[in-house]
Amino acid sequence: HSVALYEEVSDRWGLARALADLGWMAEHLGRYCEARELCERSLAIRRELGDERGMADAMLTLGIVSWVQGRLDEAHRLLRESLGIYRALDDWNRVAHTLKSLGEVLVRRGQFEDGLALMESSRDIYGDLGHRYGAQGLLPFLAESHVHLGLYQEARAGIQQETEILRQTNHLWTVAFADFVNGLAVLAEGVCHEAVGLFQASATAFQELQHPENRAWVLGPLGLAAHGTGDAVLARRSVVDALEIGIDLGAFMPVMYGLPAAALLLADQGAIERAVEVYACASRYGFVANSRWFEDVVGHRTNETAATLPAEAVASARMRGQAQAWDAMAAQCLTELKDN
């Protein structure tokens, strides 16, 4: 309604603000295609008006939407441009927020050390500004980077240091993400029952907070942990749900955490060549290929199973997997797991 009113009275400034607000809301509700369209419209108007701050705000939200959708190069470009404007405007709160988002993009690319460094810079700026909420909110993201670098004890120590404070201050989303990351570290150390509990707590919290995309991040690793405890029903249901939500939302990360889990389940069903193919598809992307966590939890087991096949069959399966895009492979795996 507000958009129509601003259009009716030809208020371009008000229209740009309304589109940006609606885009931000759509992004938080997981309606990413709608958020992209709204933010692109807002950005185009801001450019016409020469509104630097408005342009930076629109590019920040659009950059976040882009990385959620797996368009990582586009996200990186938008966020760097946004960061440059915020620095020129001397808006250090926004600089910190954008550095955090840029760091996340690098982590999703598999550039874990570089992403970690940017997020540490963001944390330091928040600290200098006295913005305790911003600094605390970064802790699970720093820990996730540590997990993928194979620094499991550092990850757990970083989370445990602040989790109780976060619980007391009602950072419900951050606590849910901290439980997820703690579960990743525990699973890498082979403590599957504890990992299941952490992942279930995280998934439940995200469901209560109405964050389906973040809940879907958790479900792939929950499937892996359940597989480790011998609960085949929970394992399959979790991985199916992860892939289904990822496909429905057009979201990259649920599929990145879900495909390796799907590969492990397929290998257990005797579809070893197909498992190699699925894991090779996931490994097209730096987030999986460069991750010590994925190698420790899934990769080495997939390689051991693949060693039972002729080398030519393995090479052929890997080539097929590398030729597939993540969303197409997710749709195929979903059908296969449901059929079985």
Side-chain angles (χ1 to χ4, degrees), residues 13-332:
W13 290 90
L15 177 59
R17 281 196 303 273
L19 289 167
D21 289 344
L22 289 170
W24 181 85
M25 289 171 62
E27 187 270 325
H28 278 262
L29 291 169
R31 293 173 359 208
Y32 301 114
C33 292
E34 182 183 344
R36 169 175 291 280
E37 182 184 344
L38 290 162
C39 290
E40 285 175 343
R41 286 178 65 192
S42 178
L43 178 57
I45 296 169
R46 304 282 199 184
R47 287 194 195 279
E48 289 173 20
L49 296 170
D51 176 10
E52 293 281 313
R53 181 177 295 280
M55 286 164 51
D57 289 346
M59 285 188 288
L60 174 57
T61 305
L62 193 53
I64 292 168
V65 170
S66 295
W67 86 248
V68 169
Q69 294 180 316
R71 299 160 74 156
L72 301 181
D73 291 344
E74 178 184 290
H76 191 259
R77 176 183 58 76
L78 285 162
L79 291 169
R80 284 198 63 83
E81 194 172 345
S82 179
L83 178 64
I85 294 172
Y86 288 133
R87 279 186 165 142
L89 294 170
D90 210 27
D91 185 341
W92 287 96
N93 191 59
R94 284 298 201 184
V95 166
H97 186 57
T98 310
L99 280 171
K100 180 256 185 189
S101 296
L102 262 174
E104 275 202 85
V105 169
L106 294 183
V107 167
R108 306 308 153 207
R109 279 176 157 182
Q111 296 169 257
F112 300 112
E113 290 182 350
D114 293 341
L116 179 62
L118 283 183
M119 288 190 284
E120 286 173 339
S121 297
S122 174
R123 180 197 58 194
D124 293 344
I125 293 168
Y126 277 132
D128 291 342
L129 294 171
H131 195 327
R132 191 176 177 190
Y133 181 96
Q136 286 181 338
L138 272 158
L139 289 168
F141 293 96
L142 300 175
E144 189 196 9
S145 299
H146 284 133
V147 161
H148 286 288
L149 289 165
L151 304 172
Y152 305 126
Q153 291 186 353
E154 287 88 335
R156 296 194 71 184
I159 289 172
Q160 288 166 353
Q161 176 187 348
E162 294 289 347
T163 298
E164 284 312 309
I165 297 171
L166 293 169
R167 289 187 202 280
Q168 292 164 16
T169 53
N170 251 13
H171 281 238
L172 298 180
W173 189 96
T174 310
V175 170
F177 198 76
D179 283 341
F180 165 62
V181 177
N182 204 10
L184 296 178
V186 168
L187 181 57
E189 293 170 344
V191 191
C192 295
H193 283 94
E194 184 182 348
V196 166
L198 287 162
F199 290 139
Q200 287 179 323
S202 177
T204 299
F206 282 131
Q207 187 162 17
E208 290 171 356
L209 291 166
Q210 298 184 345
H211 279 273
E213 191 242 350
N214 292 121
R215 176 173 171 267
W217 288 37
V218 180
L219 295 175
L222 173 57
L224 289 169
H227 175 272
T229 68
D231 190 339
V233 173
L234 177 59
R236 181 179 161 280
R237 187 174 72 239
S238 299
V239 176
V240 164
D241 286 351
L243 296 177
E244 199 156 42
I245 295 168
I247 292 164
D248 288 347
L249 296 178
F252 181 64
M253 287 305 299
V255 175
M256 285 297 99
Y257 274 116
L259 280 180
L264 195 63
L265 298 188
L266 288 166
D268 267 13
Q269 293 170 5
I272 298 172
E273 199 168 325
R274 180 59 172 156
V276 170
E277 194 173 329
V278 172
Y279 194 76
C281 174
S283 298
R284 277 188 63 181
Y285 304 95
F287 183 70
V288 174
N290 301 336
S291 167
R292 175 64 185 272
W293 184 84
F294 279 112
E295 174 59 26
D296 288 346
V297 175
V298 182
H300 81 278
R301 284 195 265 180
T302 305
N303 290 334
E304 285 172 4
T305 310
T308 63
L309 297 175
E312 299 81 9
V314 173
S316 179
R318 284 184 176 140
M319 283 182 65
R320 290 194 302 273
Q322 290 278 324
Q324 289 261 37
W326 61 271
D327 47 354
M329 181 63 85
Q332 293 168 24

